[in-house]
Amino acid sequence: MSLKGTPPPNHPSEPQWWDGPTESHRAWKRDGCPGSYWDASTWYDLAMATNHEEARTLGEDQRDLAELLDTDGRAAIAKARELEKLSDDDQFQAFRAGILIDAGAAARDQKAIAEGIATYDRLLGRDANVAEWRYCMANGHIALAELERSADRAQVDWLVETLPGRQLARRDFWLVGRDEKAARELRGRALVNLGNSLSHGGRWIEALDCYA
């Protein structure tokens, strides 16, 4: 399924029920995982690959999930799990994984975040070149590490115990940041997140290199 190429405005086969992303979708793309919701061209590809009714059903589920993420993280997690078998389409599964990570972070649900990471890992096993998936998976590892923080826990203990996950995140942020085929904005965000991770680990000079 292609993520590029918007259909001609009056294409006879264009699904007419798509009216563009809601404000909820726009906010989530801005603050959550990029590429985790489908744009108009992706809806068009899906409709042409399956049928309009199936695409409409997936679209309604996706819209419901995005709205739940804005209002009720735990409900969003439950819905995302419920829809796991609805479609094996990679983009739908990536969207679902993004919900699990973002809602899991908001609800402090480590299991949900781990499920989202596992889904992205499985998708990357089929196509390792999708930078958006790798970026989102890295954010999942960071989210897991952040949930391990607590006021009564020494910083050095947190650094040691969360090191494996943070190392995986740094590796993936670095890979996205140097991926010349990835969108420039995504590469920039990956490098900023890499810098943040290094800074939180006390590696300030390396962090400055990333920010630069």
Side-chain angles (χ1 to χ4, degrees):
M1 179 177 296
S2 170
L3 287 175
K4 300 179 180 179
T6 303
N10 297 312
H11 192 288
S13 299
E14 183 180 358
Q16 296 301 313
W17 43 265
W18 170 257
D19 58 0
T22 64
E23 183 56 36
S24 173
H25 290 94
R26 294 189 185 97
W28 193 49
K29 183 182 182 185
R30 188 166 58 246
D31 300 327
C33 288
S36 296
Y37 84 81
W38 298 341
D39 61 16
S41 62
T42 311
W43 285 112
Y44 176 75
D45 288 343
L46 177 60
M48 295 303 99
T50 55
N51 57 69
H52 290 192
E53 188 56 38
E54 181 178 348
R56 182 197 297 271
T57 299
L58 293 178
E60 290 171 351
D61 288 322
Q62 185 240 14
R63 187 160 46 248
D64 290 345
L65 273 172
E67 290 172 355
L68 280 174
L69 179 63
D70 290 340
T71 59
D72 189 338
R74 294 193 180 280
I77 292 168
K79 183 70 172 178
R81 287 170 172 160
E82 175 187 327
L83 297 176
E84 180 179 4
K85 305 299 183 183
L86 179 65
S87 171
D88 60 0
D89 177 82
D90 286 354
Q91 294 299 327
F92 181 78
Q93 289 298 322
F95 166 79
R96 199 182 64 81
I99 288 284
L100 287 169
I101 289 174
D102 288 349
R108 301 190 63 80
D109 188 329
Q110 293 178 320
K111 185 177 179 181
I113 297 173
E115 290 174 22
I117 291 172
T119 299
Y120 280 124
D121 189 52
R122 185 173 65 252
L123 291 171
L124 286 164
R126 294 203 288 265
D127 187 350
N129 297 315
V130 184
E132 290 85 354
W133 298 348
R134 190 171 297 282
Y135 173 87
C136 290
M137 184 169 69
N139 280 336
H141 285 297
I142 293 297
L144 277 181
E146 289 300 318
L147 288 185
E148 294 293 335
R149 287 184 183 273
S150 64
D152 58 351
R153 190 177 199 178
Q155 173 75 355
V156 66
D157 291 338
W158 177 84
L159 288 172
V160 171
E161 293 173 18
T162 62
L163 181 59
R166 291 185 297 110
Q167 284 180 326
L168 290 172
R170 291 172 186 172
R171 177 203 64 186
D172 285 332
F173 284 141
W174 180 79
L175 287 172
V176 174
R178 67 188 295 269
D179 184 354
E180 295 183 354
K181 295 182 180 179
R184 184 175 180 180
E185 178 186 359
L186 181 65
R187 294 176 66 188
R189 291 172 69 173
L191 290 173
V192 167
N193 285 2
L194 174 57
N196 291 342
S197 179
L198 290 167
S199 176
H200 292 164
R203 296 165 63 175
W204 301 293
I205 301 302
E206 293 167 280
L208 286 174
D209 286 340
C210 295
Y211 297 145

